[in-house]
Amino acid sequence: MEKKRFYITTPIYYPSDKLHIGHTYCTVAADTMARYKRLQGCDVLFLTGTDEHGQKIEDKAKEAGVTPKQFVDNIVEGAHGVRDLWKLMNISNDRFIRTTDDYHIAAVQKIFKKMYEKGDIYKGTYKGKYCKPCESFWTESQLVDGKCPDCGREVQDAEEEAYFFRLSKYADRIRDLLENTDYLEPRSRVNEMVNNFIKPGLEDLCVSRTSFSWGIPVDFDPGHVVYVWVDALFNYTTALGFLNDKYDDYEKFWPADVHFVGKEIVRFHSIIWPAMLMSMEMPLPKKVYGHGWLLLDGGKMSKSKGNVVDPYLLAEHFGVDALRFFLLRTFPFGSDGNFSNESLINTINVDLANDLGNLVSRTVSMVGKYFDNTLPADQAEDAEKDAELVAMIGALRGKYEEQMEKYAFQNGLSEIFKVIDRANKYIDENAPWVLAKDMEANGPRLARVMYNLLEALRVSAVLLTPFIPDTAAKILDQIGAAADLRSWDSVGAYGALPHDVTVVRGENLFPRVDAEKELALLDQIAEASKKAALPALELEPQTEEKVDFDTFCKSDFRAVKVKECVNVKKSDKLLKFTLDDGTGEDRQILSGIAKYYKPEELVGKTLLAIVNLPPRKMMGQLSAGMLISAVHTEHGEEKLNLVMLDDKIPAGAKMC
Ligand code: ME8
């Protein structure tokens, strides 16, 4: 029988910065789906890649002093880059597309021309805002406070020649697609699209730019580059060989079974993408699934906010499978979820260490201890005691499949963990350690108890394989499941494991995480990397306004010696100085520098003060003058140093 085909894609990522855990989320979900379909016996094509054109990349490259291609090459192929990350996360993509690949570029040029020749792309004028000094076009929404986002100067209305796609022509068909088919899921996203974009009226879409050059050139009109989303969306078909000779899988795999995409790009995939496919007279993908975001402290992670979570760091600390598992176990795929180190550690300790890890290690070690690793074939069932667990094992695959087909990863895992919980309870109910006291009488019964536990583990581990491939294989090794007992067919019903199975004791698969220690360590690392991301040294810009010499000379700067220095009561900022200013009378100055100095460090020092400022009261105490200090910001932290003079300088010496 011919195998069923399954084509799944992730979005292709912008290599403008290193990827974070939010990006990893979608790719891990798609990988799990691809592995699940392979387990079911499908012929799977799983595509991911990078979306490498556009102004943002051009700008970033310029900032870094390299060409755009060198810039993206480094983030895609370099150390800790996109490819490295997918390798680390055990992503089993069959293909990886880069939109800078020649075959893709040539195919997009042909696609653009086809839509142009058909009349669905036409030349018009794009109205926008122009910043003359920067020679840049901006849309209204790109402006910052109505000014150029780059230089902050005034912008003016301007027009640019551009190509447009007749999106408006497809509005009715798109609305029908969204409202009357299952094209877009979860369903809640359909209303969002229809109400926010379709009902207000779809306008034609500007699909070429002339204000920058890092894009696919429109080959019949030099100077124009193809809008990055047109370039990017067609990756799903060029990577199969559409209008190119690089691959030959278009007939076999198109239309895609599902595109996984984050919620903010649902609009592109559910309105623009199908409209362009309609224009090209190509079949539409069967489904677009818009997943939620991983939030940090309630907000979307973003490099510019400095609140990204580094997947390399987490994988190194907790292991790749623990991280993969956490992402799909903790958050419902269609909704947003709040990431925290606490919930990651909690999931590892509760689900993996306590429930699954303990079940594996207890079961395998009991089979070792009571039966020298091999169960006897002579076993005694207890219909009443075994019924519930046996029934749950037999029904698990069906329940799991029902959830997985809906991309409900969290629920699929819940079904597995119901069986794992039940098996743990089954150990307590049957108390193997009591049975083992009289092996002659209870041996066959004890053997069946062990068998049922191994079978629960086998079926669970096979169905966990798409989520935690390496660890599931280790579980199956430990419980002695041969290759043919790891298949989809072998877990359709209870009982495929041979009765005289031999277990192989192995490492503890999920050691408990010391939450307090790990959290402190992660906090430290996060703090350090936040600081490292900030400019090392920030100095106040110099004042441009000039001060005339006479005014300057009016400021009376003097050397002062610290006779006494104490903290001001009830203030955590102020230090009170008693100073020798050379007049023979003590001078008192208060200064808000308690954060930077201990009072005793300053006694005896020679400092610089301005002494002719009008005296003022601070916390009820008089301050006559001001001590001069130097301030700067280092890694985001304000630093202050009092100006200290050579102790040779006598108190009261005038500075000029
Ligand atoms: O959008 N939580 O690329 P991209 C969950 N190049 N998902 C997140 C996330 C988070 N915190 N942050 C980002 C693009 N993502 C385009 C795609 S496809 C033809 C072109 C997801 O690198 C985001 O929702 O900005 C998106 O689906 C994906 O990462 C890629 O984002």
Side-chain angles (χ1 to χ4, degrees):
M1 203 176 67
E2 205 185 346
K3 278 185 170 184
K4 225 174 138 198
R5 285 164 198 159
F6 190 80
Y7 177 33
I8 179 168
T9 67
T10 71
I12 48 172
Y13 296 85
Y14 278 128
S16 58
D17 277 309
K18 296 253 151 102
L19 301 190
H20 55 69
I21 194 79
H23 301 114
T24 312
Y25 179 47
C26 179
T27 310
V28 165
D31 182 65
T32 302
M33 200 65 209
R35 288 177 183 271
Y36 158 72
K37 285 288 165 186
R38 289 191 199 107
L39 180 65
Q40 279 187 325
C42 295
D43 188 356
V44 172
L45 200 147
F46 168 25
L47 172 73
T48 187
T50 42
D51 174 10
E52 305 186 2
H53 291 122
Q55 180 149 25
K56 194 161 148 194
I57 303 270
E58 188 176 280
D59 291 348
K60 286 245 172 183
K62 205 187 276 171
E63 234 171 73
V66 293
T67 65
K69 185 66 167 58
Q70 284 167 331
F71 182 83
V72 290
D73 278 353
N74 179 41
I75 298 188
V76 178
E77 311 281 351
H80 275 205
V82 182
R83 287 225 200 225
D84 266 6
L85 179 60
W86 298 156
K87 209 157 140 199
L88 171 79
M89 293 306 298
N90 210 352
I91 302 301
S92 63
N93 55 300
D94 301 285
R95 206 155 284 174
F96 188 98
I97 185 168
R98 298 184 58 179
T99 55
T100 48
D101 289 341
D102 289 344
Y103 73 91
H104 173 77
I105 292 175
V108 168
Q109 287 177 324
K110 287 183 193 157
I111 290 164
F112 197 88
K113 199 166 184 181
K114 260 192 152 160
M115 291 195 279
Y116 176 71
E117 281 165 357
K118 185 175 178 180
D120 274 355
I121 285 182
Y122 62 92
K123 205 168 188 175
T125 40
Y126 171 75
K127 292 194 175 64
K129 302 283 176 187
Y130 190 66
C131 174
K132 240 187 178 165
C134 297
E135 294 181 44
S136 295
F137 254 97
W138 303 106
T139 59
E140 196 81 50
S141 63
Q142 285 174 317
L143 301 180
V144 176
D145 299 329
K147 308 235 168 75
C148 170
D150 267 4
C151 70
R153 279 179 274 213
E154 295 293 333
V155 290
Q156 52 203 112
D157 289 329
E159 290 185 355
E160 185 188 51
E161 209 182 46
Y163 287 92
F164 285 82
F165 172 68
R166 285 190 204 284
L167 188 57
S168 54
K169 174 175 159 187
Y170 295 97
D172 292 344
R173 282 177 69 188
I174 297 294
R175 184 166 182 170
D176 181 52
L177 174 75
L178 295 182
E179 288 187 331
N180 301 322
T181 74
D182 292 334
Y183 177 83
L184 176 60
E185 279 187 14
R187 243 2 241 179
S188 55
R189 309 228 182 265
V190 171
N191 301 335
E192 211 178 300
M193 289 302 117
V194 172
N195 293 335
N196 296 351
F197 301 107
I198 301 198
K199 280 190 185 161
L202 282 184
E203 284 180 21
D204 289 353
L205 178 75
C206 179
V207 288
S208 80
R209 310 308 308 267
T210 53
S211 51
F212 62 92
S213 59
W214 181 239
I216 299 183
V218 174
D219 54 354
F220 55 88
D221 196 348
H224 288 260
V225 294
V226 175
Y227 175 46
V228 68
W229 270 101
V230 176
D231 163 359
L233 286 162
F234 275 98
N235 92 87
Y236 301 132
T237 61
T238 59
L240 295 180
F242 181 67
L243 295 184
N244 69 79
D245 296 330
K246 169 91 176 168
Y247 299 109
D248 190 18
D249 291 313
Y250 179 73
E251 293 303 324
K252 183 170 168 192
F253 282 106
W254 191 255
D257 289 271
V258 65
H259 296 311
F260 276 3
V261 301
K263 65 178 185 180
E264 85 283 20
I265 59 172
V266 161
R267 177 165 76 93
F268 297 95
H269 286 82
S270 64
I271 297 176
I272 298 171
W273 181 221
M276 288 195 300
L277 289 169
M278 286 169 188
S279 168
M280 290 290 292
E281 293 165 34
M282 291 161 74
L284 305 185
K286 292 180 201 155
K287 191 167 302 298
V288 168
Y289 192 94
H291 66 78
W293 284 342
L294 282 195
L295 308 175
L296 197 66
D297 305 324
K300 190 178 183 228
M301 285 178 207
S302 87
K303 185 90 181 180
S304 54
K305 282 198 253 164
N307 68 344
V308 292
V309 177
D310 177 6
Y312 279 99
L313 181 71
L314 295 181
E316 191 182 305
H317 270 257
F318 303 109
V320 168
D321 276 350
L323 183 54
R324 288 175 60 112
F325 177 82
F326 163 73
L327 290 173
L328 299 179
R329 169 73 163 154
T330 316
F331 313 109
F333 193 46
S335 322
D336 290 349
N338 226 333
F339 176 89
S340 75
N341 291 326
E342 285 85 349
S343 67
L344 169 58
I345 292 174
N346 191 48
T347 304
I348 293 174
N349 282 345
V350 173
D351 287 342
L352 296 180
N354 270 10
D355 295 350
L356 177 59
N358 262 343
L359 181 62
V360 176
S361 63
R362 284 165 91 192
T363 304
V364 174
S365 79
M366 285 191 288
V367 176
K369 190 165 154 199
Y370 304 140
F371 297 105
D372 199 14
N373 296 329
T374 303
L375 290 186
D378 176 20
Q379 299 183 356
E381 71 175 305
D382 178 330
E384 205 178 309
K385 279 192 165 154
D386 296 347
E388 195 175 282
L389 180 63
V390 166
M392 283 175 80
I393 296 171
L396 179 57
R397 193 187 78 177
K399 292 190 168 175
Y400 165 92
E401 184 176 19
E402 196 185 322
Q403 299 301 331
M404 296 297 280
E405 291 299 320
K406 292 190 282 195
Y407 312 106
F409 300 104
Q410 192 188 34
N411 296 347
L413 284 171
S414 290
E415 293 300 339
I416 299 176
F417 274 78
K418 281 182 201 162
V419 172
I420 290 167
D421 285 350
R422 187 65 192 86
N424 274 318
K425 213 165 111 202
Y426 179 82
I427 297 183
D428 298 336
E429 287 165 358
N430 288 282
W433 47 92
V434 177
L435 293 173
K437 284 189 182 144
D438 185 353
M439 283 304 273
E440 213 163 298
N442 303 325
R445 175 62 197 148
L446 182 57
R448 175 51 63 96
V449 170
M450 290 298 126
Y451 177 84
N452 285 342
L453 293 172
L454 290 172
E455 185 62 346
L457 275 172
R458 184 184 69 87
V459 175
S460 300
V462 169
L463 299 178
L464 278 170
T465 305
F467 293 87
I468 48 171
D470 282 354
T471 319
K474 285 182 186 160
I475 295 174
L476 291 164
D477 289 345
Q478 291 200 15
I479 64 169
D484 61 330
L485 296 172
R486 301 178 182 204
S487 68
W488 183 253
D489 285 346
S490 79
V491 294
Y494 161 87
L497 194 69
H499 283 170
D500 59 350
V501 61
T502 300
V503 303
V504 185
R505 283 211 72 173
E507 58 182 315
N508 178 5
L509 296 174
F510 299 105
R512 264 189 86 79
V513 174
D514 180 339
E516 215 170 295
K517 196 174 117 206
E518 279 297 327
L519 282 174
L521 201 63
L522 287 170
D523 283 349
Q524 245 177 25
I525 295 172
E527 201 50 41
S529 65
K530 240 188 210 167
K531 281 196 175 167
L534 292 167
L537 191 65
E538 273 184 80
L539 300 174
E540 282 272 308
Q542 296 192 356
T543 314
E544 288 196 6
E545 203 183 327
K546 302 289 180 244
V547 57
D548 65 71
F549 190 69
D550 289 345
T551 311
F552 167 70
C553 285
K554 283 185 194 156
S555 305
D556 196 356
F557 288 99
R558 302 282 172 157
V560 291
K561 304 236 178 220
V562 182
K563 292 172 76 174
E564 228 179 73
C565 180
V566 291
N567 287 102
V568 173
K569 272 188 202 146
K570 293 197 190 141
S571 164
D572 46 11
K573 286 197 189 127
L574 288 176
L575 293 183
K576 182 167 84 177
F577 290 83
T578 307
L579 303 161
D580 175 1
D581 63 1
T583 60
E585 276 192 34
D586 287 348
R587 173 179 291 271
Q588 177 169 298
I589 292 181
L590 269 63
S591 180
I593 57 171
K595 199 169 117 192
Y596 305 101
Y597 290 100
K598 289 200 181 88
E600 57 273 20
E601 292 174 55
L602 296 171
V603 177
K605 299 279 186 223
T606 308
L607 306 178
L608 180 61
I610 175 165
V611 294
N612 62 338
L613 287 176
R616 59 180 181 138
K617 277 198 164 173
M618 295 158 91
M619 302 280 290
Q621 309 220 31
L622 203 69
S623 180
M626 195 173 86
L627 293 170
I628 307 300
S629 44
V631 277
H632 72 278
T633 304
E634 207 173 305
H635 290 305
E637 208 175 296
E638 193 172 66
K639 302 262 165 140
L640 180 142
N641 292 284
L642 279 168
V643 173
M644 299 216 184
L645 303 174
D646 195 313
D647 290 331
K648 281 200 306 243
I649 301 174
K654 186 171 166 66
M655 306 291 127
C656 55

